[in-house]
């Protein structure tokens, strides 16, 4: 399939590369850049929330006219929140996370020379790049970037009269997302085909590392749900530009009646959340896959309940496509429909709980190697549970009535998907950095990074639940219009302090990351004593991944600390790579 | 110019970190993790557990005053509150226990050279236990939750309810009482004209006795009155974009959707005057007024509120209406003093 001998130019090697490892790095770097923008925005609007009338020159400096006098305008606040959410969910945690690790790990862990279609893979990255560029350009348009929230509910997003961000900014948002969806569909199809067809000899589906299972199922969810968002976006473009009435009806705004008749804004929400809910699993499943791998490796133990983990990934994926209505309990939908969605939603708690228990059991009686990747992974398990348990409240239609769209929701989803997935992404970077760049990252800085990040993540999002329970709605530019929220200000200040610390702490990561690319200690072939295939490939990247034959696989990927009948470690070491044939007298798990 | 300045500062900090990396040197340590690192981080993880517990306790006790009054202002809200308390208890217990195990195991089994991890890959029994236990607990929650949901959403058995329309627009609320016939006249955005800002249909005879609280000439509607002890069915409409009528003290929320009429109902059970005497409310407002005094702002009194809780544009954060719950007799007196639609025209 791949041609090892053709001459590579700078352009084909570094820019229009079709090599999955290079594409993975491109995704990662682009994701990091977008992440810096997204986190920076959150720091700006946090300042606004906790110091509503105060002037900050940093706000004036970056927001220009929309931050005149150092105080941002309400429209700019909403724009920042919207673009922050969009960037974090799609650009960082969908493309940046899946794009990086699916690309890097799928071929290497299943024993393939590259993706099924290197060309499609390259196109996929460049479309992602293009969509990022369009999204960034939208920040600079005269009327401001999109500002209707990352959920872009019409009519607000459809009518430039309703808010200025719904003008050109919104058009660019839609264009950017359409390109983004095309990119992620190409990526996902490639991942699915590669996993199904290109596994090396002996790599049965039941021997795949959980990372691959997670990426595989994630790709399937993406293929099922992203097209629906694309159709919603296209219909919205029609409503905006060609006068159709898919989502609009009976509107009087700016002193005139509009011609729209017969459409339904609720239809848009159904289409949006048909993607939107699976999307949160698109974000979190790869992170969970990554942690499964890292926790097993660094506990020096097999992941507990391998099959149950696979079953729960599949169950979560399936259920995730039939729960979208829990975002719409109070839209006026038929209460019976609400009951159905409550039922399916609370069901998801079961496979999620199974995963939580299995992680904890994996830690039990391990010999835990607490390197930065492991700390981030354990951090993920912790935040995933902290954020997940409040899902019991939000998923229950009766309880959702009073917390829907409050800061309680913001706290919930940041912990369960935002923070968890980010921690998973960091874990992955620390763990596979040697595979990406052939060097090691600095561990002390890694520790420092973890401790600042974990503490500030909890410091930001834990108290946030309680200001939500006090009734504070989300997407409020400031809370001073209601005296009943006056006493929340001091909590908001605490949150902002943690947010600023957490945001700045990411500089430690950036410094470590970029420095280590060039100056890190050279990595050995299998630095974590891991069993999986990627660590049998040479440190120096090469086209086709392995010189000579692709190694064959003889066992599953979790033979850590396996002992023979005398209680001695097989082979005298606490891990048996997948390439080692089953020994005499050894039972395959 | 200033943007450049701040970017520069960031660059400087980044460079400082870079130098820091250099100082530390990059050749440190065992590749996976040294015993010392395991030890330090194991203890720190225990510390993180303490931090999380501390936050939980701080948030629950320290932030107790800031929450909504415990007392639900509507009869239906009491069901919701009970369900909430049960669920929250479960949530806190699960959170407390699970976090304990995560961090305690991390601490206890922190790596030691030469220790063998226990090869424990599967246990059918354990898997069954933690599939079935959550399933049972959830079954209970679902059943009770759905019962409450139906109780709140089902209005078919309401006797002589008061029908009130809430009309949302950027960025204010209007309202309309159904009047003597307790039936709202038709309305449509296509009939909005002059002072008829709600688009009420003149030709519909049901509209004549309706009592609208409309904005006129730049004036906002100031307050909405509701009677204690009588079920109120809200009919919600929107003029332009999505809004959401959120009345947290009544545990009530429903979106306002242009092009359709949505509905929510509750029975106010505590008058404004009574709620002002509630001890949670008093504690909260005492605190608020202390804070306001420091800022030089005037003192405020408790009032029920209608907030907008669906992003609707630049003044979304300030789209409010005061709600006043009266004894039924007072309410009727107030209502009788308002002009009907026919009288207004
Ligand atoms: C530095 C860390 C972060 C901070 C301090 C932060 C803070 C916030 C806050 C306070 C809001 C709500 C604002 C409002 O509703 O008025 C928000 C919105 C949001 N954030 Fe974050 N966030 C952070 C990281 C993330 C991450 C990692 C994700 C990834 C999922 C994320 C996704 C979102 C989304 C989807 C929204 C909703 C946007 C909307 O309402 O349209 N954030 N963020
Ligand atoms: Cu959802
Ligand atoms: Cu509104």
């Amino acid at each position: 399939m791949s041609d090892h001998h053709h001459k590579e130019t700078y352009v084909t090697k570094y820019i229009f590369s079709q090599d999955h490892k290079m594409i993975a790095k491109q995704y990662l770097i682009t994701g990091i850049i977008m992440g810096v923008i997204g986190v920076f925005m959150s720091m700006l609007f946090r300042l606004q929330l906790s110091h509503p009338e105060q002037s900050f020159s940093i706000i004036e400096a970056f927001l220009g006219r929309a931050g005149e006098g150092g105080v941002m305008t309400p429209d700019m606040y909403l724009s920042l929140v919207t673009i922050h959410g969009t960037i974090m969910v799609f650009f960082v945690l969908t493309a940046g996370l899946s794009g990086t690790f699916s690309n890097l790990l799928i071929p290497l862990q299943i024993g393939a020379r590259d993706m099924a279609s290197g060309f499609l893979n390259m196109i996929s990255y460049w479309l992602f790049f293009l969509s990022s560029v369009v999204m960034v350009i939208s920040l600079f348009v005269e009327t401001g970037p999109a500002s209707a929230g990352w959920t872009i509910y019409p009519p607000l997003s459809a009518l430039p009269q309703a808010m200025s961000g719904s003008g050109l900014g919104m058009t660019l948002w839609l264009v950017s997302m359409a390109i983004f969806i095309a990119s992620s569909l190409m990526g996902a199809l490639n991942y699915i085909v590669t996993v199904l067809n290109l596994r090396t000899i002996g790599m049965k589906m039941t021997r795949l590392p959980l990372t691959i299972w997670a990426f595989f199922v994630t790709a399937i969810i993406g293929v099922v749900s992203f097209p629906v968002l694309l159709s919603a976006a296209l219909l919205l473009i029609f409503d905006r530009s060609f006068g159709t009435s898919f989502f609009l009806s009976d509107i009087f705004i700016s002193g005139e009646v509009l011609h729209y008749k017969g459409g339904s804004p609720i239809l848009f929400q159904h289409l949006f959340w048909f993607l939107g809910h699976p999307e949160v699993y698109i974000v979190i499943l790869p992170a969970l896959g990554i942690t499964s791998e890292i926790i097993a490796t660094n506990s020096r133990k097999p992941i507990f309940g391998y099959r149950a983990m696979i079953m729960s990934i599949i169950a979560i994926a399936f259920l995730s496509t039939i729960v979208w209505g829990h975002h719409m309990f109070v839209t006026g939908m038929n209460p019976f429909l609400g009951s159905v969605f409550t039922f399916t939603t609370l069901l998801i708690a079961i496979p999620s709980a199974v995963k939580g228990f299995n992680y904890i059991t994996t830690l039990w009686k391990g010999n835990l190697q607490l390197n930065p990747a492991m700390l981030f992974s354990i951090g993920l398990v912790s935040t995933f549970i902290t954020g997940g348990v409040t899902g019991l409240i939000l998923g229950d239609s009766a309880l959702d009535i009073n917390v829907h769209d409050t800061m309680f929701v913001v706290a919930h989803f940041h912990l369960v998907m935002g923070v968890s997935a980010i921690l998973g992404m960091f874990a992955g970077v620390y763990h596979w950095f040697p595979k990406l760049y052939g060097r090691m990252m600095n561990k002390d800085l890694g520790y420092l990074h973890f401790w600042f990040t974990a503490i500030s993540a909890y410091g930001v999002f834990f108290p946030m639940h309680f200001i939500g329970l006090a009734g504070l709605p989300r997407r409020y530019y400031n809370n001073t219009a209601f005296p009943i929220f006056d006493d929340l200000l001091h909590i908001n200040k605490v949150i902002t302090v943690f947010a600023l610390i957490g945001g700045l702490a990411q500089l430690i990561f950036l410094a470590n990351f970029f420095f280590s690319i060039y100056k890190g200690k050279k990595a050995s072939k299998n630095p974590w004593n891991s069993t999986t295939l990627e660590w049998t490939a040479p440190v120096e990247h090469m086209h086709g991944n392995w010189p000579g034959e692709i190694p064959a696989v003889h066992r599953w990927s979790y033979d850590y600390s396996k002992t023979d009948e005398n209680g001695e470690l097989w082979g005298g070491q606490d891990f048996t790579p997948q390439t080692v044939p089953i020994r005499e007298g050894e039972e395959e798990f | 110019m200033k943007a450049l300045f701040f970017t520069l500062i960031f660059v400087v900090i980044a460079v400082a970190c870079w130098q820091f990396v250099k100082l530390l040197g990059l050749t440190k340590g065992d590749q996976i993790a040294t015993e010392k690192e395991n030890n330090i981080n194991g203890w720190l993880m225990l510390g993180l557990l303490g931090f999380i517990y501390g936050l939980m306790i701080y948030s629950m006790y320290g932030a107790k005053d800031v929450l909504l009054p415990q007392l639900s202002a509507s009869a239906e809200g009491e069901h919701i509150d009970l369900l909430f308390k049960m669920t929250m208890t479960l949530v806190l217990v699960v959170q407390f226990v699970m976090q304990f195990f995560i961090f305690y195991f991390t601490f206890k089994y922190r790596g030691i050279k030469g220790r063998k991890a226990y090869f424990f890959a599967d246990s059918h029994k354990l898997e069954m236990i933690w599939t079935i236990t959550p399933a049972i607990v959830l079954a209970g929650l679902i059943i009770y939750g759905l019962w409450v949901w139906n109780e709140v959403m089902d209005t078919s058995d309401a006797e002589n309810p008061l029908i009130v329309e809430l009309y949302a627009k950027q960025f204010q609320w209007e309202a309309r009482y159904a009047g003597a016939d307790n039936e709202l006249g038709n309305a449509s955005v296509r009939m909005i004209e002059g002072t008829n800002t709600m688009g009420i249909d003149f030709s519909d005879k049901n509209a004549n006795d309706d009592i609208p609280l409309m904005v006129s000439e730049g004036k906002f509607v100031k307050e909405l009155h509701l009677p204690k002890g009588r079920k109120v069915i809200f009919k919600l409409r929107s003029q332009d974009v999505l809004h959401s009528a959120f009345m947290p003290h009544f545990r009530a929320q429903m979106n306002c959707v242009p092009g359709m009429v949505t509905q929510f109902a509750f029975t106010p059970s505590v008058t404004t005057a009574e709620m002002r005497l509630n001890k949670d409310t008093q504690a909260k407002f005492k605190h608020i007024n202390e804070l306001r005094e420091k800022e030089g702002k005037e003192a405020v009194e408790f009032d029920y509120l209608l907030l907008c809780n669906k992003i609707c544009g630049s003044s979304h954060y300030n789209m409010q209406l005061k709600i006043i719950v009266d004894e039924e007799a007072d309410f009727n007196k107030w209502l009788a003093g308002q002009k009907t639609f026919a009288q207004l025209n």
Side-chain angles (χ1 to χ4, degrees), chain A residues 250 252 305 330 335 361 365 367-368 370 382 386 401 404-405 443-445 451 475-476 481 486 515 567, chain B residues 18 21 26 28 30 37-38 41 99 109 111-112 116 118 121 149 190 239 253 255 292 308-310 320:
Chain A
D250 295 343
F252 180 98
V330 295
T361 315
K365 290 200 175 179
N367 189 27
L368 311 187
L370 300 176
S382 168
T386 308
I401 294 171
H404 176 78
D405 257 348
K443 233 197 276 169
D444 291 324
L445 286 185
W451 286 108
R475 296 167 173 167
Y476 265 26
D486 279 359
F515 187 85
Chain B
W18 184 302
V21 184
L26 288 149
K28 268 191 69 196
D30 195 41
E37 286 164 340
N38 285 336
N41 286 288
Q99 299 296 340
Y109 299 109
I112 292 173
K116 240 183 283 166
Y118 172 43
W149 171 246
R190 282 161 231 278
Q239 186 176 87
Q253 169 160 225
N255 290 359
R292 290 177 73 87
C308 178
N309 196 17
K310 185 61 77 190
Q320 48 177 308

Side-chain angles (χ1 to χ4, degrees), chain A residues 515-527:
Chain A
F515 187 85
S516 302
I517 290 180
Y518 298 105
K519 295 286 156 100
K521 193 180 98 179
K522 284 251 186 323
S524 59
K525 200 163 167 186
N526 187 1

Side-chain angles (χ1 to χ4, degrees), chain A residues 157-477:
Chain A
S157 61
L159 306 171
Q161 305 94 307
M163 71 193 321
S164 67
S166 294
L168 182 58
M170 193 64 222
T171 305
L172 289 176
W173 193 99
L174 287 166
V175 169
S176 165
M177 282 310 297
I179 303 172
F180 181 91
I181 293 168
S183 149
S184 83
L185 286 176
M186 285 182 198
L189 284 173
N190 225 338
Y191 307 151
I192 295 172
V193 173
T194 308
V195 172
L196 287 179
N197 292 316
L198 297 184
R199 298 189 311 276
T200 184
I201 298 166
M203 184 60 95
K204 296 188 259 184
M205 289 302 271
T206 47
R207 284 177 179 169
L208 286 175
L210 286 173
T211 33
I212 303 299
W213 267 106
F215 299 149
F216 176 63
V217 173
T218 301
I220 295 176
I221 311 178
V223 170
V224 171
S225 57
F226 261 122
V228 179
L229 180 64
L230 183 60
S231 65
L234 291 178
L235 297 183
L236 186 55
I237 290 176
F238 284 155
D239 275 7
R240 287 167 52 83
S241 308
F242 308 120
T244 55
S245 298
F246 290 107
F247 305 132
L248 307 177
S249 182
D250 295 343
I251 293 167
F252 180 98
I253 195 165
S254 314
E256 58 169 345
V257 180
L258 305 184
H259 70 273
Y260 302 106
K261 227 175 169 172
S264 164
I266 304 300
L267 172 62
F268 179 86
Q269 298 186 20
H270 281 294
L271 295 177
F272 181 87
W273 287 114
F274 188 82
L275 162 88
H277 190 85
E279 171 63 23
V280 310
Y281 290 98
I282 292 176
V283 163
I284 196 65
L285 282 180
L288 291 174
I290 286 170
T291 14
S292 304
E293 186 65 23
I294 295 174
I295 287 186
T297 306
N298 289 311
S299 298
R300 315 307 298 161
K301 268 186 74 185
I303 191 83
F304 179 78
Y306 174 74
R307 269 157 220 267
M309 289 300 237
I310 295 175
M311 293 308 286
S312 56
I313 292 176
I314 294 174
I316 288 176
F318 171 72
L319 287 172
S320 79
T321 59
I322 52 167
V323 300
W324 75 90
H326 61 214
H327 299 273
M328 300 167 60
F329 286 138
V330 295
T331 54
M333 64 153 74
N334 184 324
F336 176 70
L337 197 55
S339 308
V340 175
F341 281 120
T342 297
F343 178 69
T344 53
T345 301
L346 294 189
L347 277 188
I348 281 205
I350 299 173
S352 311
V354 169
K355 285 189 90 75
F357 289 130
N358 285 356
Y359 283 128
I360 293 176
T361 315
T362 307
L363 296 175
W364 179 66
K365 290 200 175 179
N367 189 27
L368 311 187
Q369 303 301 313
L370 300 176
N371 56 21
M374 181 67 165
L375 292 185
F376 276 102
S377 302
I378 296 172
L380 179 154
V381 178
S382 168
T383 54
F384 185 65
I385 290 172
T386 308
V389 284
T390 49
L392 291 180
I393 292 173
L394 292 160
D396 198 328
S397 48
L399 297 179
D400 186 54
I401 294 171
N402 221 40
V403 286
H404 176 78
D405 257 348
T406 63
M407 289 307 263
F408 187 82
V409 178
V410 177
H412 157 77
F413 75 70
H414 273 90
L415 281 173
V416 74
M417 97 160 155
V419 173
S420 298
I422 287 276
L423 294 183
M425 185 163 168
F426 284 135
V429 171
Y430 282 102
H431 190 79
W432 280 290
F433 194 84
K435 206 67 248 171
L436 280 163
Y437 294 100
R439 293 173 185 272
M440 309 298 287
M441 284 177 81
N442 179 284
K443 233 197 276 169
D444 291 324
L445 286 185
Y447 287 130
L448 211 56
H449 176 218
F450 171 77
W451 286 108
F452 275 113
T453 305
I455 298 275
S456 47
Y458 267 109
V460 170
F461 295 114
F462 203 86
M464 200 183 276
H465 290 103
F466 293 83
I467 58 178
L469 290 179
L472 185 66
R474 69 193 275 208
R475 296 167 173 167
Y476 265 26
Y477 159 69

Side-chain angles (χ1 to χ4, degrees), chain B residues 266-284:
Chain B
F266 61 77
T267 315
S269 55
V270 183
T271 64
T272 299
E274 286 164 351
M275 194 55 111
R276 283 183 181 163
L277 297 176
N278 174 276
K279 74 174 186 341
D280 292 343
T281 317
Q282 290 203 330
K284 184 173 164 90

Side-chain angles (χ1 to χ4, degrees), chain B residues 21-248:
Chain B
V21 184
K22 268 189 157 165
L23 272 181
L24 284 174
L26 288 149
T27 42
K28 268 191 69 196
D30 195 41
Q31 278 179 331
I32 300 184
T34 61
E35 211 157 290
K36 187 167 149 229
E37 286 164 340
N38 285 336
N39 209 10
I40 295 175
N41 286 288
W43 277 100
L44 283 174
M45 284 304 239
L46 212 53
L48 183 56
L49 178 67
F51 179 70
I52 295 171
Y53 283 171
L55 269 179
M56 281 169 74
I57 291 163
Y58 163 77
S59 302
M60 275 180 310
Y61 286 92
K64 202 175 64 195
D65 283 356
V66 307
L67 299 183
L68 293 168
Q70 296 263 321
L71 175 65
S72 162
S74 75
E76 293 75 3
E78 284 163 27
H79 296 305
I80 294 183
D81 282 358
L82 182 58
L83 177 65
F84 184 83
K85 269 186 204 130
M86 284 168 44
T87 314
M88 196 60 167
T89 310
L90 177 73
V91 162
L92 288 173
V93 170
V94 172
Q95 162 74 355
F96 198 87
V97 173
M98 297 279 272
Q99 299 296 340
F100 174 79
F101 282 119
I102 296 172
F103 291 106
Y104 178 67
F105 285 168
T106 304
F107 166 72
K108 172 133 193 249
Y109 299 109
R110 64 194 188 278
I112 292 173
K113 255 218 163 59
R115 185 173 62 214
K116 240 183 283 166
Y118 172 43
F119 186 92
F120 183 48
D122 213 349
S123 154
H124 196 63
K125 207 167 105 203
L126 280 180
E127 296 285 358
M128 288 313 275
I129 292 177
W130 51 61
T131 309
I132 290 172
T133 320
I136 293 172
V137 175
L138 283 169
L141 270 190
I142 290 175
I143 291 169
Y144 185 49
L146 291 184
W147 180 82
V148 174
W149 171 246
N150 272 323
E151 202 68 4
V152 174
M153 300 308 286
D154 184 14
T155 53
S156 55
D157 59 349
E159 273 169 43
N160 185 27
L162 177 73
I163 310 270
V164 181
E165 177 178 75
L166 285 175
Y167 195 44
K169 60 178 71 172
Q170 286 181 332
F171 299 95
Q172 51 193 295
W173 299 95
E174 294 180 322
R176 177 162 62 131
Y177 295 85
D181 62 356
N182 213 7
E183 212 157 320
L184 290 164
N186 290 336
S188 153
V189 288
R190 282 161 231 278
M191 290 178 207
I192 295 175
E193 220 189 340
T195 56
N196 183 9
T197 51
M198 296 180 75
I200 300 169
D201 185 352
F202 288 90
S203 58
D204 184 353
K205 65 177 190 331
N206 286 336
N208 284 329
D209 63 345
D210 289 359
I211 299 166
L213 306 178
M214 291 197 273
V215 287
S216 51
E217 298 300 309
K219 266 206 244 134
F220 285 75
V221 176
K222 286 238 183 60
E223 48 190 49
L224 180 77
H225 285 249
L226 298 176
K228 174 178 164 181
R230 182 168 166 201
K231 189 143 191 155
V232 184
I233 298 185
F234 290 94
K235 302 279 179 186
L236 303 117
R237 287 196 300 135
S238 164
Q239 186 176 87
D240 35 41
V241 299
L242 294 169
H243 301 270
S244 186
F246 181 36
M247 296 169 260

